[in-house]
Amino acid sequence: MKALIAGAGRLGTQIAQVLAAARNEVTLVDVDEDRVAALAGRLPVRLLAGDACDPAVLEHAGALTAGLLVATTGDDEDNLVVSLLAKRRFAVPRVAARVNDEENTWLFDHRWGVDTAVPAATPLISLIEEATGATDTVALLRLSKAGVDVIETAITPRSRAAGRTLAEIALPEGTVVATVVREGRPTVPAPGMRLRPGDELLVVSHTATEGEIHAAFQ
């Protein structure tokens, strides 16, 4: 699937990582040229500097063929404009938008082209349940907004986790393996799933650092 993300802040970059890890073709757009330049080489996505509220920028980013657009800027007005353009002008099948100010939540509906509004706060337990139940884009967006890190780690032949089941791996407290991408296909992992070299794991945690996550598997 081709996915277009407007806004390269923490939320936008994390969802870009998640979608790219699941073998989606991702384009990340941000109006801040310095921010885009700083991300070059750090993300496996196409980066584009420009204002996503400009139809020409959206078209250049691939909105005509995108299956998903996520508006994650820090400005509700911008997110609404981007969503409306995506749905009405480019007929993007699925549009999700971040709500920065809860008082504006009522605006984020089909009238502005929004299929799913991403609220500012959702209970952590609900977020974990959604993320572990499926590779759902909106659930992962909510995780990022709630301060939960989405971290990718890969299993190699030298990894200590290779050949072991998930149940045998001591994970840091507050950490869950949300998805295992095997041979390009994301799967919902069971405790008895045995990890193989080549597996890519998407891990969510609200306490552990990226280094601690990698140490548990490598």
Side-chain angles (χ1 to χ4, degrees):
M1 177 182 68
K2 291 184 178 180
L4 174 57
I5 302 171
R10 182 185 179 193
L11 178 61
T13 53
Q14 285 192 343
I15 195 59
Q17 287 178 305
V18 170
L19 290 174
R23 300 294 191 271
N24 293 291
E25 185 178 330
V26 181
T27 298
L28 182 59
V29 182
D30 197 278
V31 70
D32 189 331
E33 294 184 2
D34 291 336
R35 177 178 289 174
V36 171
L39 290 172
R42 294 174 52 195
L43 297 174
V45 305
R46 177 190 176 205
L47 295 168
L48 179 63
D51 186 353
C53 292
D54 183 342
V57 172
L58 284 181
E59 184 171 355
H60 182 53
L64 285 169
T65 56
L68 167 70
L69 181 141
V70 187
T72 68
T73 79
D75 187 290
D76 283 344
E77 290 185 7
D78 286 352
N79 289 341
L80 287 170
V81 171
V82 172
S83 298
L84 187 63
L85 285 171
K87 185 64 70 175
R88 300 290 175 83
R89 181 156 183 167
F90 298 103
V92 177
R94 185 179 181 188
V95 177
R98 172 183 181 177
V99 183
N100 295 281
D101 185 343
E102 63 179 11
E103 292 185 0
N104 294 330
T105 302
W106 66 277
L107 290 167
F108 286 73
D109 60 19
H110 66 279
R111 293 171 297 179
W112 281 92
V114 179
D115 297 310
T116 306
V118 182
T122 302
L124 181 60
I125 293 177
S126 296
L127 299 178
I128 296 294
E129 288 177 348
E130 287 183 73
T132 55
T135 55
D136 183 82
T137 301
V138 175
L140 290 166
L141 279 168
R142 290 175 179 168
L143 283 169
S144 299
K145 183 66 178 80
V148 179
D149 286 326
V150 181
I151 300 166
E152 177 188 2
T153 190
I155 305 301
T156 70
R158 295 185 178 182
S159 298
R160 68 172 69 182
R164 300 173 65 187
T165 66
L166 286 173
E168 295 173 330
I169 298 170
L171 293 175
E173 183 179 356
T175 301
V176 176
V177 178
T179 305
V180 175
V181 181
R182 177 171 290 172
E183 297 178 352
R185 293 187 175 184
T187 59
V188 179
M193 184 177 190
R194 197 169 297 278
L195 298 176
R196 307 173 186 171
D199 286 348
E200 296 177 66
L201 281 61
L202 298 181
V203 183
V204 294
S205 179
H206 68 282
T207 57
T209 65
E210 185 171 354
E212 289 172 332
I213 297 295
H214 290 311
F217 293 96
Q218 304 304 327

